[in-house]
Amino acid sequence: MRYRLMTAAFAAGVALGAAAPASATDLEVTHWWTSGGEAAAVAELAKAFDATGNKWVDGAIAGSGGTARPIMISRITGGDPMAATQFNHGRQAEELVQAGLMRDFTDLAAKEKWTEIVRPKSLLDSCTLDGKIYCVPVNIHSWQWLWLSNKAFEDAGVAVPKNWDEFVAAAPALEAKGIVPLAVGGQPWQTSGAFDVLLLSVGGTDTFLKVYKDKNAEFAAGPEVAKVFKAADDARKMAKNTNVQDWNQATNMVITGKAGGQIMGDWAQGEFQVAGKVAGKDYSCLPGLGLNEAIATGGDAFYFPLLKDAEKSQAQEALATTLLDPKTQVAFNLKKGSLPVRGDVDLNTANDCMKKGLDILAKGNIVPWTDQLLTQDSQKQKEDLFSEFFANPNLTLEDAQKRFAEIIATAD
């Protein structure tokens, strides 16, 4: 898969600008983007949609996806749907689609040639059920990053690590200066996500896919995955003094030099940007923890519940078109820290870390992520396990791995 950096003139030439409707229509859009960097990115989407003559009514829900999704789903199933709502790429809205509650955008996708412009193809595949397209991908987010505070390592008198092994080796020097080596927030999705990154980075791509794609429980109980649990044990020891809940609070510890690093998705870049920090100068980034430079093509998409109001239904189409417009894609993703879903846009202003992600994407070193491979029930079981693992040092590696293998055995 070839990811091209084209000129702004070309991007403008293929723009899919939405024509303004006859009358302005308010659309409530729900999402869980509430941190500083995320809010700046959402503002770009709202500005672009408002320019069509309609009105973006912001329905932000604080507390991350784990808090927001049940609220969104309850509203849709309860007969009080919003006009559009965020979900991650994958299977989170699968049951809503199967229940006939989500709008089919297959005709619009054909008209605007989404299959030709959305890259990689797996993003649109995640929106497709029984041959019909039900969502609009807006970005490519990858979890597989270690963000490092250059100041923290300077204060500790050690070099900025180039990989996970060097990071673990530097932990004692950080702790001697009162610096938390690894910031991990207390929400279950953060600890579960950190483990998944370790599985891909320390274990390798084949190991990751054997566990989550093939759902090989015997392999999950074996020696290759035991190595990953050892790395996870290192992580929980380094993270034991974090004492924050939200992911962006953990990111702020890295920004301020109170923590050496954080395993977190590339959405963390938005927080560094809002804080005025410069990639390569104030902070460093290691895709694949510096061990396995592969990224997942996860991220976010918008789904559109079926509405009875004809004007709002028409405005939904305008929003869908706007989300994939080249100018919107660039403005939103530069603020969000994610990569665009279009391969024909100009990203010459991308920072050093985003360019690393683009390079990996261009080489085709991509994998599907857990949201695409596991149901929400399996994800929840995994989150519960790793929340306990990071919080309870008495939970042994052997017992944790056994429970993990049992989850994989029943996963679907």
Side-chain angles (χ1 to χ4, degrees):
M1 190 278 297
R2 184 73 178 169
Y3 199 97
R4 304 182 304 276
L5 297 184
M6 307 298 286
T7 63
F10 178 79
V14 297
L16 298 174
S23 59
T25 302
D26 291 355
L27 288 188
E28 182 192 8
V29 184
T30 56
H31 58 86
W32 57 81
W33 291 324
T34 57
S35 74
E38 290 172 329
V42 171
E44 294 293 341
L45 297 182
K47 181 170 67 175
F49 182 59
D50 289 354
T52 69
N54 292 294
K55 177 65 176 175
W56 175 291
V57 179
D58 201 67
I61 301 172
S64 81
T67 300
R69 280 190 295 272
I71 296 172
M72 296 166 173
I73 292 170
S74 177
R75 283 190 54 185
I76 295 167
T77 58
D80 180 31
M82 63 297 290
T85 188
Q86 171 200 7
F87 284 107
N88 295 124
H89 298 317
R91 303 176 65 176
Q92 292 176 355
E94 188 173 76
E95 292 182 0
L96 295 173
V97 171
Q98 291 171 336
L101 296 172
M102 290 300 190
R103 186 165 175 188
D104 174 3
F105 271 113
T106 307
D107 290 344
L108 183 65
K111 176 184 176 183
E112 298 184 348
K113 297 180 171 60
W114 292 3
T115 57
E116 296 180 18
I117 63 174
V118 173
R119 294 291 181 271
K121 179 178 177 292
S122 59
L123 300 178
L124 209 54
D125 289 343
S126 291
C127 288
T128 304
L129 190 68
D130 296 330
K132 296 181 179 179
I133 296 173
Y134 290 93
C135 68
V136 182
V138 292
N139 61 11
I140 302 168
H141 261 318
S142 49
W143 241 106
Q144 303 74 37
W145 297 81
L146 177 61
W147 305 95
L148 301 169
S149 167
N150 290 0
K151 180 180 185 300
F153 290 96
E154 181 182 345
D155 290 348
V158 292
V160 176
K162 293 183 174 60
N163 57 51
W164 175 258
D165 296 330
E166 292 183 7
F167 179 62
V168 174
L174 293 169
E175 290 178 320
K177 291 293 184 179
I179 299 169
V180 174
L182 181 66
V184 180
Q187 295 163 322
W189 67 270
Q190 295 182 58
T191 50
S192 177
F195 176 83
D196 293 341
V197 173
L198 290 167
L199 185 64
L200 177 63
S201 303
V202 175
T205 301
D206 288 345
T207 292
F208 180 85
L209 293 176
K210 283 180 181 177
V211 173
Y212 287 138
K213 184 179 181 181
D214 299 340
K215 299 175 179 61
N216 187 327
E218 183 178 352
F219 182 82
E224 292 301 315
V225 176
K227 297 175 185 176
V228 180
F229 272 89
K230 172 60 173 65
D233 186 46
D234 290 335
R236 71 173 169 180
K237 289 174 181 174
M238 291 190 292
K240 64 181 182 294
N241 293 320
T242 301
N243 295 326
V244 298
Q245 281 293 110
D246 295 339
W247 72 268
N248 53 308
Q249 293 174 318
T251 305
N252 189 62
M253 291 178 67
V254 180
I255 290 171
T256 57
K258 294 178 181 177
Q262 179 190 24
I263 297 173
M264 186 50 59
D266 52 9
W267 48 89
Q269 285 199 89
E271 301 305 297
F272 285 101
Q273 183 171 305
V274 167
K277 301 300 181 181
V278 178
K281 176 185 175 184
D282 301 307
Y283 67 98
S284 299
C285 54
L286 298 178
L289 310 187
L291 299 175
N292 178 24
E293 291 197 348
I295 60 173
T297 51
D300 304 287
F302 279 92
Y303 286 77
F304 298 78
L306 281 169
L307 302 177
K308 296 178 181 179
D309 188 303
E311 289 188 357
K312 288 187 182 294
S313 295
Q314 182 179 355
Q316 284 179 320
E317 294 187 16
L319 176 56
T321 297
T322 300
L323 293 172
L324 282 176
D325 181 274
K327 292 180 180 178
T328 307
Q329 279 282 299
V330 172
F332 170 72
N333 284 292
L334 286 177
K335 291 284 179 68
K336 191 71 168 63
S338 47
L339 305 179
V341 300
R342 297 186 62 130
D344 59 1
V345 295
D346 176 28
L347 284 175
N348 289 316
T349 57
N351 67 33
D352 287 350
C353 292
M354 186 179 285
K355 286 177 180 176
K356 287 184 181 181
L358 288 168
D359 183 57
I360 294 169
L361 196 62
K363 292 175 180 175
N365 296 340
I366 58 176
V367 295
W369 200 233
T370 56
D371 289 320
Q372 296 161 294
L373 299 173
L374 300 175
T375 63
Q376 284 304 288
D377 179 62
S378 297
Q379 286 276 63
K380 179 65 166 58
Q381 293 178 54
K382 182 164 63 71
E383 289 179 357
D384 289 345
L385 170 60
F386 288 107
S387 179
E388 181 183 350
F389 179 81
F390 272 78
N392 179 13
N394 295 320
L395 177 55
T396 67
L397 303 186
E398 294 76 17
D399 286 347
Q401 186 176 0
K402 180 181 177 182
R403 287 170 55 183
F404 178 67
E406 289 171 352
I407 293 171
I408 298 305
T410 59
D412 55 6

